Amino acid sequence: MVEAPQTEEGWFALHDFRSIDWDAWRDAPERERERAIEEGKRFLRHREQVADADEGDSGLFSVLGHKADLLFVHFRPALDDLSSIERRFENTALAKFTEQTTSYVSVTEVSGYVSDEYFEDPESVDAGLKRYIEGKLTPEIPDDEYVCFYPMSKRRGEEYNWYDLSFEDRADLMADHGEVGKEYAGKIKQVIASSVGFEGHEWGVTLFGSDPTDIKDIVYEMRFDPASSRYGEFGEFYIGRRFPPADLGAYLAGETVPTGEGDGDEGGHGEGGHAHGEGGHHGEGGDHGADHGGGHDHAGSGGGSAHGDHPHGEEEASGEGDHPHADEEDGEGGDDASDADIRGELADLDIYAGKPSGEDVYATVLYSEADVDELFDEVEGLRGNFDHYGTHVKTAVYEGRVTDRAAVVSIWDTASAAETAAGFLSELPEIVARAGEESGFGTMGMFYTVKPEHQGDFTDTFDDVGEILAEMDGHVETDLMMNVEDENDMFIASQWHAKEDAMAFFGSDEFRETVQWGREVLADRPRHVFLA
């Protein structure tokens, strides 16, 4: 019997497609339309806040064409959670103006295509792969992105039958498939979920991207790959655009959404997006392999999870009763607010700190104990792919002076691209940590470009400051790391147990004097950033 890979399941997914009864909407009294909008916004806002479960994510999308008008995407830990969501929506005033044109039920999963080690000895799996697996099992929906959804199956014909192939042959095909998809890293995020036993097709594929032509290009290019050309069968394709629940009224009035006016109200839709799942392997069922680079076992298969083979008192009708603070204004996410607070405090100290790693860019930093030359060769190969994308700013290797490890720093224009790059970089040799995982508070990263004639002075001064740091409360470790391609480009990674400890250093006279001196020896303005 042909070997089927082991699988582990994660969150369940519901893609709920709705059409609007536009005649009924136009004929309805104004107060009915207003009530429908308010109840619809409240329902959708609570779904995005995941007020109905301990975990999950939801998103609202407009859909183009005749097949539907709206798409609700929900990820939840249990199938019953999705059933409850469907029924709660039917109790809103908005529901009577809609018809469910189609829906799709599936469950996320990972399989032996990702790594046999994960199933045989989970504790031996490296941290980067664990993050990847968690992202695939518990996906989050990118903010302000176009979406494409389609179902697919693997062919079971007389000439080409996917399920008659050996495990090794399938793994090799998916590895080649993933190589093509790697070209779209940073542009496309995918969620592939198994629907074997749930739907007529075997997988539901959801693609997210900021440019809809990237979605077209990746699907088209993958059609020429044997894993799709010989073995792929596809259902209807749907294309749409995410918008916040606050814009529901604008959508129904025929305005372009997202309007950009209501994002701050919703609490689930802001700049930078979510942290989960940006790096991932191409799943066997999908028509692409955009999220992640090389695989682990089976000749570097980029295959994702597979089911056998995965590719890739009474509540009011409005639904108000499902959240303990239904009438309160939604706040900003805690992590984003904390990061903004830290940067604000640095600004109060007259210390430059924009977004992570600079004014308008985002950074991801990973540490490796591999030989620096070997590490650089690997990074140089990845960097060649990164350079194809306009969002890529810089990727470099920094060698430590105090520690026996190197830092790989990758800087991008968007948070989602930086997270996707982290998925690739996590598979570099001997990765031991990611910035923000080393201590209770994390890393304060400081980037400096030194004038060549002052390079020695700068390192000497750092050594003096390092002696002061060693005596400070809450200090874990600080290292001055040099770019292996440019000794004048330096990265100081400073780890602290608590935010208060780090801020005490940044507010100290010693640091202030160093900054003043640095204005004479630096080639440009330094960047001081929080990387946790």
Side-chain angles (χ1 to χ4, degrees):
M1 180 176 175
V2 175
E3 178 187 0
Q6 300 180 72
T7 65
E8 179 173 332
E9 288 68 36
W11 287 348
F12 291 84
L14 171 65
H15 291 67
D16 185 353
F17 292 88
R18 300 273 171 167
S19 64
I20 305 293
D21 185 340
W22 293 108
D23 289 336
W25 181 255
R26 284 188 293 269
D27 293 341
E30 182 66 24
R31 66 177 181 277
E32 286 190 24
R33 293 201 296 267
E34 290 178 356
R35 181 187 174 199
I37 291 170
E38 289 307 311
E39 290 188 8
K41 287 166 59 176
R42 187 177 299 116
F43 169 85
L44 294 165
R45 185 175 67 240
H46 290 170
R47 303 293 80 74
E48 288 196 353
Q49 292 175 331
V50 194
D52 50 34
D54 293 334
E55 297 179 289
D57 201 7
S58 290
L60 168 64
F61 300 82
S62 63
V63 178
L64 283 74
H66 69 284
K67 297 188 287 289
D69 294 306
L70 295 173
L71 165 62
F72 308 148
V73 178
H74 306 290
F75 298 115
R76 292 296 186 275
L79 202 59
D80 288 346
D81 296 332
L82 299 180
S83 175
S84 177
I85 287 174
E86 274 195 303
R87 287 179 279 111
R88 284 184 182 275
F89 178 74
E90 295 299 338
N91 286 329
T92 68
L94 177 64
K96 78 172 188 176
F97 294 103
T98 73
E99 177 184 355
Q100 189 178 50
T101 57
T102 190
S103 62
Y104 206 87
V105 179
S106 54
V107 61
T108 62
E109 62 179 16
V110 294
S111 77
Y113 287 115
V114 177
S115 172
D116 286 338
E117 293 178 359
Y118 178 73
F119 294 93
E120 296 170 0
D121 184 11
E123 297 303 317
S124 68
V125 175
D126 65 82
L129 179 58
K130 285 182 180 178
R131 282 196 301 271
Y132 154 70
I133 290 173
E134 290 172 0
K136 297 313 255 183
L137 293 177
T138 59
E140 294 192 356
I141 302 170
D143 293 322
D144 300 333
E145 298 284 337
Y146 289 91
V147 67
C148 171
F149 173 81
Y150 59 92
M152 74 159 296
S153 298
K154 286 300 186 184
R155 185 165 293 144
R156 298 192 300 274
E158 293 183 6
E159 182 178 5
Y160 294 114
N161 187 333
W162 182 260
Y163 296 99
D164 278 344
L165 298 177
S166 68
F167 183 89
E168 289 73 18
D169 287 344
R170 282 177 273 130
D172 288 343
L173 282 167
M174 292 314 301
D176 293 339
H177 201 56
E179 285 298 313
V180 181
K182 284 194 294 185
E183 296 299 320
Y184 292 86
K187 292 184 177 182
I188 297 293
K189 175 190 175 181
Q190 66 175 0
V191 176
I192 302 177
S194 175
S195 51
V196 175
F198 296 168
E199 299 282 358
H201 284 82
E202 296 169 337
W203 293 277
V205 181
T206 311
L207 310 179
F208 300 98
S210 59
D211 185 341
T213 62
D214 289 334
I215 294 173
K216 177 196 75 72
D217 289 344
I218 191 173
V219 173
Y220 179 67
E221 188 171 352
M222 285 297 181
R223 289 293 173 91
F224 292 91
D225 185 82
S228 290
S229 64
R230 295 177 185 174
Y231 299 102
E233 294 181 339
F234 306 92
E236 291 273 11
F237 280 69
Y238 297 81
I239 187 72
R241 178 75 156 91
R242 189 173 187 184
F243 69 94
D247 286 349
L248 180 61
Y251 169 81
L252 292 168
E255 298 177 21
T256 299
V257 293
T259 64
E261 298 174 357
D263 294 357
D265 299 339
E266 298 306 313
H269 221 40
E271 184 175 3
H274 298 290
H276 266 333
E278 292 299 329
H281 289 269
H282 167 39
E284 185 173 327
D287 200 23
H288 53 303
D291 289 325
H292 203 281
H296 291 264
D297 299 323
H298 308 296
S301 168
S305 57
H307 190 301
D309 293 289
H310 180 296
H312 67 210
E314 294 186 357
E315 296 179 0
E316 296 184 15
S318 67
E320 289 184 44
D322 63 358
H323 191 275
H325 306 293
D327 296 325
E328 294 181 8
E329 289 290 321
D330 302 327
E332 295 182 0
D335 291 341
D336 291 342
S338 175
D339 189 22
D341 290 345
I342 292 168
R343 295 198 305 273
E345 291 184 35
L346 290 173
D348 290 341
L349 294 170
D350 195 27
I351 299 171
Y352 175 64
K355 296 175 183 176
S357 82
E359 190 69 33
D360 295 308
V361 291
Y362 296 81
T364 187
V365 178
L366 294 98
Y367 299 110
S368 171
E369 293 180 348
D371 176 79
V372 172
D373 291 336
E374 176 190 353
L375 181 66
F376 177 77
D377 289 342
E378 296 280 347
V379 170
E380 192 172 29
L382 284 175
R383 188 168 59 185
N385 289 331
F386 292 166
D387 285 339
H388 286 109
Y389 305 109
T391 53
H392 182 232
V393 177
K394 170 184 177 181
T395 297
V397 176
Y398 293 79
E399 185 173 11
R401 293 173 69 247
V402 176
T403 60
D404 292 328
R405 64 183 186 179
V408 180
V409 178
S410 192
I411 301 175
W412 297 76
D413 284 333
T414 66
S416 60
E419 274 297 318
T420 300
F424 286 93
L425 298 171
S426 67
E427 298 207 11
L428 290 169
E430 298 187 52
I431 293 294
V432 293
R434 183 175 177 182
E437 297 177 342
E438 316 93 325
S439 56
F441 170 59
T443 298
M444 297 300 298
M446 293 164 271
F447 293 87
Y448 297 91
T449 303
V450 184
K451 295 176 182 178
E453 63 270 25
H454 292 293
Q455 202 264 358
D457 296 336
F458 187 86
T459 55
D460 290 343
T461 300
F462 170 80
D463 292 337
D464 293 338
V465 173
E467 294 177 3
I468 298 172
L469 289 171
E471 302 300 323
M472 294 193 71
D473 292 338
H475 178 253
V476 178
E477 180 181 82
T478 298
D479 193 7
L480 174 64
M481 314 184 87
M482 294 186 179
N483 188 332
V484 298
E485 298 172 272
D486 180 3
E487 65 178 6
N488 299 310
D489 176 16
M490 302 186 184
F491 167 54
I492 299 178
S494 187
Q495 299 166 31
W496 300 81
H497 283 303
K499 168 188 167 184
E500 292 73 22
D501 299 324
M503 288 304 174
F505 167 63
F506 278 96
S508 67
D509 291 338
E510 291 84 356
F511 180 77
R512 193 174 302 277
E513 292 171 3
T514 303
V515 169
Q516 184 63 38
W517 172 80
R519 292 186 176 126
E520 301 174 5
V521 303
L522 298 181
D524 59 18
R525 196 177 189 187
R527 289 169 169 171
H528 305 83
V529 301
F530 174 48
L531 294 172

